[in-house]
Amino acid sequence: IGTSPQENNLSTNELTGIFVNLKANIIIKNIQIQKFYNGLIFDQVVNAKIQDSSFTNSKKTQIHLTSSNQNTILNNIVSCGVGNDGIMLYYGEDNNILENTVTDCPSEGIRAVSEKNPFIKNNFVDMSESISWDSFGISIDAGTWNSNHPSNVIGNTVKNSKYGIFVGASNAIIKNNIVSNTGVGITHSGSDSESTYNDISNNEKGVVVSNNAHFYNNNLISNDIDGGGISDNGGNYWGNFSPNCSDNNNDNFCDESHPLSTVLNIQDSVWLVQNGWLTSINIPHDLTLEASDSSGAIGTYSISAIHDGSSMSVSCDASSGVIFPIGSTIVVCTTQNGIHSTFTVTTNLETI
């Protein structure tokens, strides 16, 4: 802890700042490693922690784990500079990559190859490279080794790479990520996988999905091309189309399909409101009133709304306490962000 190897001049491919083999329960913390061929290598290491350290300008990889299990890489500064790769995992299991800052890597930011159960969360990855380079912000490769084990890519921010988040593994969860200024925001080809609650903006192409991977409840905003390969698993917000569509039945989806559904293979419901899936309105069941005369009857009800766990203002086009005429009245309630819900008030004339 707190001791840093001296830097080297990269004259040999064998120099590594820290090399650990066949060890368990070690902690590497508060160190600085720079200008080696590889910064740190774990080979068959179990239950170790790499934390609060700086890995910069090593020629090949800054942090490399192979055949290592149940390790945590937490809150490190990883800057490739003259090197190729940031954090690399090979053939391990249950490794956690959490809250690291990875920058200036021309090839790979964070990559997991044939890993079982990798958990990649709350990292900031800015590759700072032209998207013409074949660079990957976060990537998880497919393989028979990890085909029945879930991969989690959650809450990361990725920008300035050719591929933002690239997941070929099956059973993957890609959730709550922010991806911007890449060639392709999210590439998702693993079967039995799902991408949800991601913000994908200002990319050359928003998303490419294949192998029936599930992609729904995502925001796609200001991408040059929306993407393709989307099946309807619940709909997404498409910023190039949603603001200009109509919703005559008040179901919060555009009445029209995506205008490029045939060309881009986007067979998807289109949410009218960004993050609309986070809003719910508590409305009454349909009401039945009895009127003593033809003027109608007073109807009262209560209503509330929640967005992402917090209360949100909501109003209806017929307020509680007004007189409802004889017959059926559809009441439309609208939240502050534009989500709708309806109920019906039926007023019958009493018979004597």
Side-chain angles (χ1 to χ4, degrees):
I1 297 175
T3 300
S4 301
Q6 294 183 355
E7 64 186 56
N8 287 271
N9 61 11
L10 310 181
S11 60
T12 173
N13 290 353
E14 298 178 357
L15 291 173
T16 297
I18 295 177
F19 179 82
V20 182
N21 177 239
L22 293 171
K23 300 292 183 181
N25 303 316
I26 65 172
I27 296 175
I28 295 176
K29 184 176 181 180
N30 294 333
I31 65 170
Q32 295 181 1
I33 296 180
Q34 60 180 335
K35 296 184 179 180
F36 287 86
Y37 187 74
N38 289 290
L40 178 148
I41 294 179
F42 275 6
D43 182 12
Q44 301 177 76
V45 174
V46 177
N47 197 33
K49 182 175 287 187
I50 305 166
Q51 180 178 346
D52 302 330
S53 296
S54 174
F55 301 85
T56 60
N57 289 303
S58 289
K59 185 175 181 181
K60 189 175 188 296
T61 304
Q62 313 309 308
I63 300 174
H64 181 115
L65 275 60
T66 185
S67 301
S68 296
N69 303 333
Q70 300 170 2
N71 301 289
T72 297
I73 303 173
L74 171 65
N75 193 38
N76 299 283
I77 302 297
V78 178
S79 182
C80 293
V82 299
N84 286 327
D85 305 321
I87 301 173
M88 305 289 285
L89 311 176
Y90 286 86
Y91 302 104
E93 185 171 355
D94 296 325
N95 291 304
N96 301 304
I97 314 300
L98 310 174
E99 301 176 18
N100 301 281
T101 299
V102 181
T103 59
D104 297 324
C105 298
S107 183
E108 304 278 354
I110 300 172
R111 184 181 183 187
V113 179
S114 293
E115 284 272 315
K116 292 181 179 179
N117 310 319
F119 194 78
I120 302 172
K121 184 177 181 181
N122 293 346
N123 300 280
F124 177 84
V125 181
D126 185 352
M127 301 291 280
S128 300
E129 289 289 334
S130 167
I131 59 176
S132 62
W133 287 79
D134 198 14
S135 58
F136 296 79
I138 296 175
S139 65
I140 301 179
D141 291 5
T144 56
W145 172 261
N146 65 349
S147 59
N148 295 316
H149 299 269
S151 303
N152 289 275
V153 182
I154 300 173
N156 303 281
T157 297
V158 181
K159 58 198 304 185
N160 295 317
S161 57
K162 183 172 183 179
Y163 298 96
I165 296 176
F166 186 102
V167 177
S170 301
N171 300 294
I173 302 296
I174 306 171
K175 185 177 180 180
N176 288 331
N177 300 285
I178 299 172
V179 187
S180 63
N181 300 107
T182 71
V184 182
I186 292 180
T187 303
H188 188 183
S189 60
S191 59
D192 298 318
S193 299
E194 65 177 33
S195 295
T196 59
Y197 307 136
N198 300 288
D199 288 341
I200 306 164
S201 64
N202 297 295
N203 304 283
E204 286 191 358
K205 182 178 288 187
V207 60
V208 175
V209 176
S210 58
N211 293 329
N212 295 315
H214 302 300
F215 184 86
Y216 61 96
N217 291 358
N218 300 282
N219 297 305
L220 295 101
I221 302 170
S222 300
N223 300 291
D224 293 344
I225 299 173
D226 280 338
I230 312 297
S231 299
D232 193 349
N233 294 295
N236 297 277
Y237 177 81
W238 300 90
N240 292 334
F241 174 56
S242 297
N244 301 312
C245 73
S246 56
D247 178 24
N248 293 316
N249 61 357
N250 294 305
D251 66 352
N252 301 308
F253 292 97
C254 297
D255 296 333
E256 307 85 4
S257 60
H258 192 288
L260 299 176
S261 58
T262 301
V263 176
L264 296 178
N265 190 22
I266 300 176
Q267 309 301 322
D268 194 31
S269 298
V270 180
W271 275 91
L272 188 72
V273 174
Q274 184 177 341
N275 287 320
W277 45 86
L278 298 178
T279 303
S280 60
I281 304 177
N282 180 26
I283 61 171
H285 296 294
D286 292 344
L287 302 178
T288 300
L289 308 176
E290 298 296 328
S292 58
D293 57 48
S294 60
S295 64
I298 294 174
T300 60
Y301 61 88
S302 62
I303 189 168
S304 61
I306 294 175
H307 179 79
D308 198 19
S310 300
S311 62
M312 174 175 277
S313 62
V314 56
S315 60
C316 304
D317 58 3
S319 301
S320 177
V322 303
I323 296 176
F324 288 88
I326 303 299
S328 294
T329 302
I330 296 176
V331 180
V332 180
C333 301
T334 306
T335 60
Q336 179 182 347
N337 63 344
I339 290 295
H340 304 299
S341 192
T342 65
F343 65 96
T344 300
V345 178
T346 301
T347 306
N348 299 317
L349 185 60
E350 291 180 348
T351 59
I352 301 176

